[in-house]
Amino acid sequence: MFTRRALTAARAAPQAQAPTPTPTPTPAPVAPAASRTHKIVVIGGGSAGLNASHQLLRTGQFVEEDIAIVDPAEWHHYQPGWTLVGGGLKDKEDLRRPLASLIDPKLKFYNTGVGAFSPENNQITLENGDRIGYEHLVVAPGLKINTDSIKGLPEALADPRAPVSSIYSYETVSKVFPTIQQLEKGHAIFSQPAGVIKCAGAPQKIMWLALDHWKQTGLYNPSSPSTSPIKISFATGLPTMFGVPKYSAKLEELRKERGVEGLFSHDLISIEGDKATFAHGEEKVTKKFDLLHVVPKMGPHAFVKNSALANEAGYVSVDDATTRHTKFPNVWSIGDASSLPTSKTAAAITSQAPVMVSNILRALKGEEPQAQYDGYTSCPLLTEYGKVLLAEFKYGGVPKETFDDWFGMDQIEPRRIFYHLKKDFFPWVYYNSMVKGTWGGPNGWIN
């Protein structure tokens, strides 16, 4: 009886619903643990990376291996000296050092490349897959030379019979002066690409030295270029001789005085045999040459360009004044890889590095950046053997001339004293002081 009634009641009662299971939350991805962690990791063992690393170390606020440098290179090169090599004034072997020999033993050196950045996790991944953690990251790997950006250029540079050369790499710079010496007649073209390059004055520095060589050997008469065995053209992707109006006006004056043809807004795009083709607006212009000095296009390395650290152009996006990243407050950048809108030179780094170092030290104490970079950079423009126009300027192309401030000496005029700075003093101070973090450019030595 009880069973039948219970069954009847159960059938009459509303059916209970099974509770809906609570969804299991998907765990957030956890970054693999870093194999090592450092207070500061510096990407790049070039001018910027070495200078900044050693400045930080010299503050006395870091113990052994607090700071790490990551760079795959075997050799470190004094690249501003390659113009001197191209002009027959230096040997390229004298301008390089084993990279490891320049790094203080208190710094950890990872002699490998970067695979990827993980700024959200304060990590980088090395090319071998190891993960390195950091409190602060300095990104200063420089620029990549894109030789293959000009069709036919790699083949022409590699061909010892082709009169095509470039001062922009260790492998090709030794070909430059012999091609200048061998030319006895014909058309010599010196190119400069549109876009960002290392030291925007270098493409014409080598031209002025070549012109002076041919003048001294009787093959070029600036007063009568039309009757000279050699004709000279400067083919630049830019609309003017130089980006700073004051110095551009002087260089344009020299160009006209010396009979150099100006091919402005001519961007070299291909080489075939003895013909060079340039993009000129919507047109293509082809010129026959007997000597061609080429400056390849340049740009950020892929591991920077394709990372969360890059701006739309592929450079590390930093504040123009503080050098701090615009999104990640513990990331910094100076030198050629940074977005700092100034000419990319070693001289610029001498002013950028102290600002960045000061601001990193403040950030480590929880303070806001205070030091500010004003865009200072410099280009010692060789205008002939024995004379240099020393261009110094800051943001906006405003001249900021050291010798004008000290001695009232207008640097618009090429001078012999500046030539010896370029040829003798700067290479000496670079390896004896700058890469050690003790040279501050116009501000002199750093304690």
Side-chain angles (χ1 to χ4, degrees):
M1 178 72 71
F2 176 81
T3 304
R4 185 181 300 166
R5 289 178 179 173
L7 181 60
T8 302
R11 286 174 177 169
Q15 297 294 311
Q17 297 293 320
T20 303
T22 303
T24 303
T26 302
V30 178
S35 58
R36 287 288 304 273
T37 298
H38 304 272
K39 281 192 174 180
I40 299 176
V41 172
V42 179
I43 307 301
S47 302
L50 288 182
N51 185 276
S53 299
H54 288 109
Q55 278 192 44
L56 286 162
L57 184 64
R58 290 173 61 84
T59 63
Q61 299 184 34
F62 302 93
V63 300
E64 187 168 347
E65 298 195 354
D66 267 356
I67 304 169
I69 295 178
V70 180
D71 195 302
E74 178 184 1
W75 295 94
H76 178 98
H77 300 274
Y78 177 60
Q79 295 181 33
W82 287 343
T83 306
L84 302 172
V85 176
L89 295 167
K90 297 279 186 184
D91 294 324
K92 68 178 185 178
E93 294 81 7
D94 295 335
L95 299 175
R96 70 174 186 169
R97 304 284 188 276
L99 176 56
S101 72
L102 301 177
I103 297 174
D104 191 288
K106 294 186 182 67
L107 302 174
K108 174 64 177 176
F109 179 33
Y110 295 97
N111 196 193
T112 185
V114 174
F117 295 103
S118 301
E120 299 86 354
N121 301 313
N122 298 326
Q123 291 182 358
I124 64 166
T125 303
L126 302 180
E127 284 185 339
N128 64 6
D130 288 349
R131 289 179 175 265
I132 306 298
Y134 59 80
E135 292 182 28
H136 285 263
L137 177 69
V138 175
V139 186
L143 290 180
K144 183 178 184 295
I145 307 293
N146 297 318
T147 308
D148 57 0
S149 62
I150 299 170
K151 185 180 179 181
L153 177 58
E155 295 81 4
L157 290 173
D159 185 351
R161 299 165 299 174
V164 179
S165 63
S166 178
I167 60 171
Y168 271 85
S169 80
Y170 182 81
E171 291 73 25
T172 63
V173 68
S174 53
K175 192 181 180 186
V176 176
F177 193 55
T179 62
I180 293 172
Q181 290 178 304
Q182 291 161 14
L183 186 67
E184 295 183 350
K185 64 178 180 179
H187 188 192
I189 302 177
F190 296 82
S191 80
Q192 176 168 348
V196 174
I197 63 171
K198 302 180 182 186
C199 188
Q204 62 181 291
K205 294 178 191 180
I206 191 62
M207 177 186 72
W208 297 127
L209 290 180
L211 183 154
D212 200 26
H213 172 81
W214 293 323
K215 176 184 173 183
Q216 293 175 24
T217 55
L219 296 171
Y220 188 77
N221 182 358
S223 301
S224 182
S226 62
T227 61
S228 299
I230 295 176
K231 308 295 187 292
I232 304 173
S233 298
F234 183 54
T236 172
L238 306 178
T240 60
M241 288 294 289
F242 197 67
V244 178
K246 174 179 179 176
Y247 306 118
S248 184
K250 181 63 178 181
L251 293 165
E252 175 69 1
E253 178 185 311
L254 291 177
R255 183 189 70 78
K256 291 178 177 178
E257 284 179 359
R258 297 175 181 180
V260 173
E261 179 187 28
L263 299 172
F264 296 103
S265 300
H266 281 63
D267 198 11
L268 181 63
I269 56 174
S270 69
I271 302 167
E272 186 175 358
D274 61 354
K275 294 181 176 61
T277 300
F278 302 85
H280 180 54
E282 299 298 320
E283 302 176 353
K284 291 184 179 179
V285 178
T286 298
K287 298 281 185 179
K288 185 178 181 299
F289 64 84
D290 299 280
L291 179 149
L292 178 64
H293 180 271
V294 181
V295 178
K297 292 183 181 296
M298 303 170 202
H301 291 277
F303 70 87
V304 173
K305 185 177 182 179
N306 299 327
S307 76
L309 303 179
N311 63 11
E312 291 182 357
Y315 296 92
V316 183
S317 180
V318 294
D319 181 85
D320 293 352
T322 66
T323 75
R324 186 185 223 172
H325 198 273
T326 54
K327 180 179 179 182
F328 303 102
N330 64 335
V331 176
W332 312 77
S333 182
I334 58 173
D336 296 353
S338 77
S339 65
L340 296 171
T342 193
S343 185
K344 297 184 181 297
T345 68
I349 292 164
T350 65
S351 289
Q352 294 167 5
V355 169
M356 183 185 71
V357 167
S358 173
N359 287 334
I360 289 176
L361 295 177
R362 289 181 61 85
L364 285 167
K365 294 185 291 186
E367 300 171 355
E368 287 299 307
Q370 192 173 67
Q372 296 196 340
Y373 171 58
D374 66 359
Y376 172 83
T377 189
S378 175
C379 182
L381 277 150
L382 288 149
T383 56
E384 60 190 274
Y385 289 100
K387 287 189 179 180
V388 158
L389 187 163
L390 184 57
E392 291 183 289
F393 49 98
K394 58 184 180 179
Y395 286 145
V398 177
K400 186 182 179 182
E401 298 180 346
T402 304
F403 288 84
D404 188 20
D405 290 344
W406 290 355
F407 308 113
M409 183 187 297
D410 191 346
Q411 293 174 202
I412 194 65
E413 294 300 325
R415 301 177 189 271
R416 188 167 189 85
I417 184 175
F418 299 152
Y419 174 78
H420 288 295
L421 285 177
K422 167 68 177 175
K423 176 178 172 290
D424 303 314
F425 178 71
F426 290 155
W428 176 86
V429 80
Y430 183 82
Y431 278 122
N432 284 279
S433 187
M434 182 175 170
V435 296
K436 298 176 181 178
T438 59
W439 174 245
N443 294 318
W445 275 270
I446 301 170
N447 292 327

